[in-house]
Amino acid sequence: HREIIPRVPSSKILSSSQERQHQVDKPFDDDEDPEPDVKKYHGKVLLALPDDESFLSPLRCFLRENVCVFSATERDIAVRTPTTFSVRVGQVGVGCVHCLGLPPKSRSNRAVCFPFTVARIYQSVADIQRFHLGECRMMPPEVRAKFLQLQSESAKGSKGLATRTYWIDSAKKLGLADGPTGMYFSRDPSMPPPPSDGMSLDILAQVATNVKTKCKPLVTPEDKPTIAEFLYVVMDQLQPCRFTDADRNKRRSKNLGSIGVECKHCAGKIDGRKFFWSSVSAAESNFVSVHSHMMDCKYIPDDFKAELARLKSLRREQTSKLKTGSQKSFFTRVWNRLHNIEDEPEAVAKEKKKRRQLWEICEET
């Protein structure tokens, strides 16, 4: 028969289904602390923060809801095997919330890790996911079911550099800091996180460019009578954006700050979609990719997708009633607005086109 370990009362552990709970003791005693001038605190707190959903995948949000950071006790240290560095009382570790309240010897494999720096929390949580959560005997059945579902649905890759940066920034927001003997709580972890004024440089750069770009409309009411309503509505779901470090793992050839467009509905999400066009012709020819995304985007309501499907069925009929070249002119206007290019008067544009045609004829002869 399998040994059944009695469930620890919920009051003694942090539960992902309950409101965030904290357990805080007094600051370290100066006689035990190798850094007596640095005030450190005992405690434990979930890794999860309200901002997680905007920057991390559903699976990683789940992991942070089921993993906490805590101050090591004497009994945590007593059962540890020798490693490359020793663990001290009060040093902060990362552990599964479901079995942290068990005696250390009764915990399943890799229930607790002690990353030496804040930057290693990301890897420690990945280790707990890989080696522990699948066999954690204290995880409630409904939580396990959700874990297995999210793992099966999880897509490879995410926001790359920005993801790891977010883990570091959020850890600091919880009060975690690096010391010569490992991580520690630099403030009382029972207190709520401070306002978001310590965001990563990459996220700040994105915010700065958003201020400049998102206020610019790509389509205007004047465009409506010149184009099929389907194109107008789809393009109206886009907004300007910039290429950032977070996009490097997707489009390595782009320069930081390159202008592009993104779906308004999933902008800022872990699976948000961006488009970077190299020319007016590329924007026009790749329009089908934009429409395909709109139909797949989980942040767009189903009734709006149904409306897009209806408008698409009318596109050919509406286009047949428009002037020849109206679609090209529309995408040219969109391109010019995106790149802050002033629209030329129609007469000037026609004259330039005529000159280009004459020049091409001269070259052929």
Side-chain angles (χ1 to χ4, degrees), residues 200-267:
S200 70
L201 292 178
D202 182 63
I203 296 174
L204 283 175
Q206 180 67 61
V207 171
T209 55
N210 286 348
V211 170
K212 299 177 182 178
T213 59
K214 288 187 179 177
C215 60
K216 299 190 304 182
L218 294 176
V219 297
T220 66
E222 290 74 20
D223 294 319
K224 212 164 189 178
T226 68
I227 196 69
E229 189 176 1
F230 172 66
L231 270 73
Y232 179 88
V233 173
V234 171
M235 294 300 290
D236 195 33
Q237 309 311 306
L238 300 176
Q239 64 187 18
C241 68
R242 296 282 181 176
F243 187 88
T244 71
D245 272 336
D247 304 304
R248 281 192 182 279
N249 60 338
K250 298 178 183 178
R251 303 175 183 84
R252 298 181 184 275
S253 61
K254 291 293 180 183
N255 295 322
L256 285 178
S258 295
I259 190 74
V261 295
E262 63 183 349
C263 171
K264 292 179 180 179
H265 303 273
C266 58

Side-chain angles (χ1 to χ4, degrees), residues 24 34 58 100 124 127 132 138 142 153 163 176 235 256-257 288 316 322 338-339 348:
V24 182
L100 190 63
S124 293
D127 289 343
H132 172 74
M138 302 305 296
E142 65 275 12
E153 297 174 351
T163 298
L176 292 173
M235 294 300 290
L256 285 178
V288 65
R316 179 170 295 181
L322 299 173
L338 183 63
H339 293 271
V348 175

Side-chain angles (χ1 to χ4, degrees), residues 43-58:
K44 62 181 177 182
V45 62
L46 282 177
L47 278 177
L49 288 173
D51 292 337
D52 289 356
E53 190 175 325
S54 297
F55 296 97
L56 303 175
S57 67

Side-chain angles (χ1 to χ4, degrees), residues 15-70:
S15 172
S16 61
S17 61
Q18 296 175 336
E19 184 180 358
R20 180 190 299 261
Q21 297 176 345
H22 307 269
Q23 180 183 17
V24 182
D25 300 317
K26 63 181 181 178
F28 283 88
D29 183 73
D30 287 347
D31 295 335
E32 302 174 359
D33 193 348
E35 301 173 283
D37 295 332
V38 179
K39 193 172 185 179
K40 303 176 182 179
Y41 294 84
H42 286 286
K44 62 181 177 182
V45 62
L46 282 177
L47 278 177
L49 288 173
D51 292 337
D52 289 356
E53 190 175 325
S54 297
F55 296 97
L56 303 175
S57 67
L59 175 59
R60 285 175 177 154
C61 290
F62 171 87
L63 295 174
R64 289 166 64 87
E65 291 168 358
N66 288 270
V67 173
C68 66
V69 283
F70 67 97

